[in-house]
Amino acid sequence: VLPGEPQYLYTVQDAWRFTLFWTLIVFELCHLAASSYALLVQWRNWKVMLGVVPLYSVLAGVEALMAGSVVGLLLGAVYKAGDFRMSTWLPFIWAIINVLVLILSSFSVQGGL
């Protein structure tokens, strides 16, 4: 492998693994930021709030495992069915999309239809 040479994913397992790992990393960072903000806001109850950081980390791992697996397997299956090669950037982009969907779904929307 030469520097600057593009790398591609060809198998469903590789697409799933890359997507899962990127989703785990992005979800953990997002949940760490949210739990840190909660810790700063509720600084008076810091003993109770110290349990929030590990709880958010575990929840992020479970959410990322489910979301990353579904998206990774779907991406891998679509690219395999079309006999395409997948750039290694696509799993990262889909991990960002996953966390944005998670953030967006946390807001309640009134008067949808």
Side-chain angles (χ1 to χ4, degrees):
V1 177
L2 297 173
E5 186 176 309
Q7 298 297 311
Y8 298 103
L9 307 173
Y10 293 99
T11 65
V12 175
Q13 291 82 12
D14 289 340
W16 169 75
R17 189 175 11 164
F18 268 67
T19 308
L20 179 65
F21 288 156
W22 275 118
T23 307
L24 279 167
I25 292 167
V26 172
F27 270 48
E28 287 292 338
L29 289 174
C30 181
H31 281 74
L32 180 65
S35 63
S36 299
Y37 180 72
L39 189 63
L40 288 175
V41 170
Q42 297 292 330
W43 62 274
R44 289 189 182 119
N45 299 330
W46 67 272
K47 289 181 183 177
V48 175
M49 292 304 293
L50 285 181
V52 169
V53 177
L55 177 67
Y56 272 41
S57 181
V58 169
L59 288 175
V62 171
E63 291 171 352
L65 181 66
M66 290 187 291
S69 290
V70 169
V71 171
L73 289 173
L74 283 173
L75 276 176
V78 167
Y79 274 78
K80 180 86 172 162
D83 201 25
F84 299 128
R85 55 187 187 182
M86 181 188 298
S87 170
T88 53
W89 282 99
L90 280 175
F92 172 70
I93 292 169
W94 277 99
I96 299 292
I97 291 170
N98 269 335
V99 81
L100 291 175
V101 167
L102 178 71
I103 292 169
L104 190 61
S105 67
S106 68
F107 295 103
S108 63
V109 178
Q110 299 294 325
L113 294 176

